[in-house]
């Protein structure tokens, strides 16, 4: 049975984008929020979860992530706007709280349906 994966896009206030893939969207979002190293997302204040899509299977998810990363900026913006035209922070709407990357969130239930 293929594993449930997520392809997601984070955005900064100026709409700089980060595309990623994970098997635990909430945990990965929390890691981005608590990022203390000088990473791309930290330097550019890329924190808002503005897009996510479930993908069945790790290979398929990685292929989808690579596909989106290969696009130019305008198609990526249109992808976000197709699901989230107001660029709302989906994590905030879902009531997610910033947890430490070491915190266990597995007991808090399944991912919400986007």
């Amino acid at each position: 049975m293929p594993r449930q994966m997520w392809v997601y896009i984070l955005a900064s206030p100026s709409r700089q984008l980060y595309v990623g893939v994970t098997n635990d969207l909430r945990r990965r979002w929390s890691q981005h929020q608590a990022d203390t190293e000088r990473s791309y997302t930290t330097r550019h204040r890329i924190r808002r979860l503005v897009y996510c899509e479930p993908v069945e299977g790790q290979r398929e998810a990685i292929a989808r992530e690579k596909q989106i990363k290969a696009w130019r900026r305008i198609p990526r913006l249109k992808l976000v706007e197709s699901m989230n035209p107001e660029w709302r922070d989906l994590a905030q709407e879902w009531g997610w709280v910033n947890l430490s990357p070491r915190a266990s969130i597995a007991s808090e239930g399944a991912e919400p349906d986007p």
Side-chain angles (χ1 to χ4, degrees), residues 3 31 39 48 53 55 58 68 70-71 73 78-79 84 92 94:
R3 185 176 197 175
Q31 290 171 339
S39 68
R48 294 180 307 135
E53 70 178 76
V55 179
Q58 186 175 11
I68 294 169
W71 294 349
R73 180 171 172 76
K78 288 182 179 181
L79 179 64
N84 186 357
Q92 183 179 16
W94 295 335

Side-chain angles (χ1 to χ4, degrees), residues 33-77:
Q33 301 306 303
D35 195 358
T36 57
E37 297 182 22
R38 294 290 300 159
S39 68
Y40 178 80
T41 57
T42 299
R43 284 192 314 269
H44 298 282
R45 299 181 325 150
I46 299 173
R47 299 273 187 259
R48 294 180 307 135
L49 177 65
V50 294
Y51 177 84
C52 61
E53 70 178 76
V55 179
E56 291 296 323
Q58 186 175 11
R59 287 185 182 172
E60 293 80 0
I62 291 169
R64 177 67 171 150
E65 175 195 28
K66 287 180 179 182
Q67 176 187 41
I68 294 169
K69 284 182 173 183
W71 294 349
R72 293 191 175 269
R73 180 171 172 76
I74 298 300
R76 285 190 225 159
L77 296 175

